[in-house]
Amino acid sequence: MDPVCDVLIIGGGIAGLSLASELAERRGSGAGIALAETEPALAHHTSGRSAEQLIPSYGPAPVRELTGATVARLLDPRPAPSRPLAWPSRMVLVGTEERLRAEAAPGTEPLSRAELVELCPELACSPADVVEAGSLDSTSVRTDAAALVAWHHDRAAAAGARLLTGAPVTAAEPDGAGWRVAAGAHRLRARQVVVAAGAWADAVAALFGAAPLGLRPLRRTAALVRLAKPLAPDHPMVVAADHGWYYRRAGDGALVSPSEAVPSEPCDAQPVLEDVEDLLGRLNTVTSLGATGIERAWTGLRTESPDGVPVCGTDPAVPGLVWLAGQSGYGFQTSTAMARAAADVLLDGAVGPWCSPETAAALDPARFRADPPTVRARREPPRGAGASAPGS
């Protein structure tokens, strides 16, 4: 007989792993929890390509609330991991006065150009009409993405959760008490299913009869580059208020990004080196960083919902199917709180009172269904979708 699980999580990125970890802790055991990941390793796609900065002032109000809850948990994790998951690391937003006003968020401190240059001397050469001032977020933190992934993995695995790799979900059919699911060589029976498949979430959910939410994968590139002079160890991350670039210290060099958001098909995204080379030219125009070359570049897909807010909740037309998707560029910085919200939905039927009613409503996938359609489960993957479920 096919093994039965209470919850099947599809996707082994930070979203799916953090939920497996949260559920294992809440239930006191991972028994009955299974996670299916297409790739041979967990966190293979976007979750393995994080900029590793959690910024509480970044994003719309629901994202900022979820980020605050995530940061608080990661600064004081229980049980304590073998190495820190997060630590304070300031961020400054820079640009014109007008743009900074448009991007203003609670908890930030305005900086004059003189104050900004004192904090970030490399901006002294910036044209005054490009970098007029700044905004400091002292609540921002740096995270160790690999340590966080390993912490969630170890907590889930130690509690007995089944973490299946090389297990793409390719078919599902209802059986009256849930679904029978084909995941690679595995055949499972699941009472509840969580779609945490990143760029593939809409296609995977279709296997269970859910209509698409309209999630959009967007390409974003980052690179490690050499600098003429290393930045100070406590140098803040610097982000352009017009979303045109960012950089932060990385050893003797810097991690940089053109912050592009180019629509893409779900795929194992690869960097466009011309984008990074163009970015170096721009950075060397507005700063004295002296970026001299690319050591390594990578690209991930930020999967965005139609309104830019992540999705967490039961599908309005498919009971027992829970969405955990659309984290866009907020994946790591909201992951712990999003996992808590998804666990609430699975165990209690709704997000708990720790989260404001406004944010809970903003996450609900029903917001995209003015008239929820009646749908039937499909047994075969949609043509062209690949039906893979890599993590985000």
Side-chain angles (χ1 to χ4, degrees):
M1 180 175 290
D2 297 339
V4 178
C5 55
D6 295 321
V7 179
L8 170 63
I9 302 165
I10 303 175
I14 189 61
L17 273 174
S18 56
L19 176 57
S21 171
E22 175 75 12
L23 282 173
E25 179 184 21
R26 293 267 288 271
R27 292 161 51 116
S29 168
I33 301 168
L35 180 150
E37 162 61 40
T38 291
E39 301 296 342
L42 299 170
H44 173 79
H45 287 276
T46 303
S47 291
R49 308 168 196 186
S50 170
E52 300 186 316
Q53 190 84 8
L54 315 183
I55 306 172
S57 60
Y58 176 47
V63 167
R64 297 198 301 269
E65 180 179 343
L66 294 165
T67 300
T70 294
V71 168
R73 178 67 191 278
L74 296 186
L75 289 175
D76 185 24
R78 307 289 177 87
S82 58
R83 65 183 196 257
L85 301 180
W87 55 95
S89 179
R90 297 172 298 175
M91 183 279 298
V92 292
L93 198 66
V94 304
T96 64
E97 296 276 9
E98 179 182 7
R99 191 67 195 223
L100 288 168
R101 284 194 296 270
E103 297 291 325
T108 57
E109 173 189 348
L111 299 174
S112 67
R113 180 176 168 93
E115 292 170 326
L116 175 63
V117 169
E118 183 176 359
L119 190 63
C120 305
E122 74 280 1
L123 294 173
C125 67
S126 301
D129 60 343
V130 175
V131 178
E132 291 184 295
S135 177
L136 175 65
D137 185 343
S138 296
T139 65
S140 176
V141 304
R142 184 74 50 80
T143 187
D144 182 333
L148 183 55
V149 166
W151 185 64
H152 285 310
H153 170 279
D154 293 348
R155 290 208 310 164
R162 299 181 65 196
L163 305 177
L164 309 175
T165 55
V169 172
T170 55
E173 63 177 290
D175 69 355
W179 290 273
R180 293 182 183 274
V181 180
H186 305 276
R187 299 297 178 268
L188 305 168
R189 295 173 62 201
R191 296 188 177 94
Q192 294 177 293
V193 171
V194 179
V195 178
W200 289 261
D202 270 344
V204 169
L207 297 174
F208 296 86
L213 298 183
L215 301 172
R216 297 189 310 148
L218 303 171
R219 189 185 79 221
R220 175 153 296 182
T221 300
L224 293 174
V225 300
R226 296 183 293 276
L227 300 181
K229 179 182 178 181
L231 296 170
D234 62 347
H235 194 286
M237 182 178 188
V238 179
V239 180
D242 66 0
H243 309 292
W245 46 263
Y246 67 73
Y247 61 87
R248 69 163 175 81
R249 178 179 179 272
D252 289 337
L255 184 150
V256 303
S257 173
S259 297
E260 82 276 30
V262 179
S264 171
E265 292 297 316
C267 65
D268 187 6
Q270 299 301 312
V272 178
L273 291 182
E274 290 83 356
D275 290 347
V276 182
E277 291 167 352
D278 176 68
L279 169 65
L280 296 189
R282 282 185 284 151
L283 287 178
N284 287 335
T285 298
V286 299
T287 76
S288 59
L289 287 173
T292 57
I294 302 167
E295 294 189 346
R296 184 166 66 90
W298 61 93
T299 296
L301 296 181
R302 310 162 73 245
T303 303
E304 186 176 77
S305 74
D307 63 6
V309 174
V311 183
C312 179
T314 302
D315 188 275
V318 185
L321 183 73
V322 173
W323 292 85
L324 182 57
Q327 288 92 337
S328 190
Y330 317 116
F332 271 84
Q333 75 174 45
T334 63
S335 59
T336 299
M338 286 285 286
R340 184 177 181 183
D344 288 348
V345 171
L346 289 163
L347 300 176
D348 305 321
V351 179
W354 61 271
C355 180
S356 72
E358 294 79 11
T359 292
L363 297 175
D364 193 339
R367 69 190 191 268
F368 301 122
R369 304 276 196 264
D371 183 19
T374 300
V375 292
R376 294 182 301 170
R378 298 174 62 174
R379 298 190 182 190
E380 299 299 329
R383 186 177 297 278
S388 298
S392 60

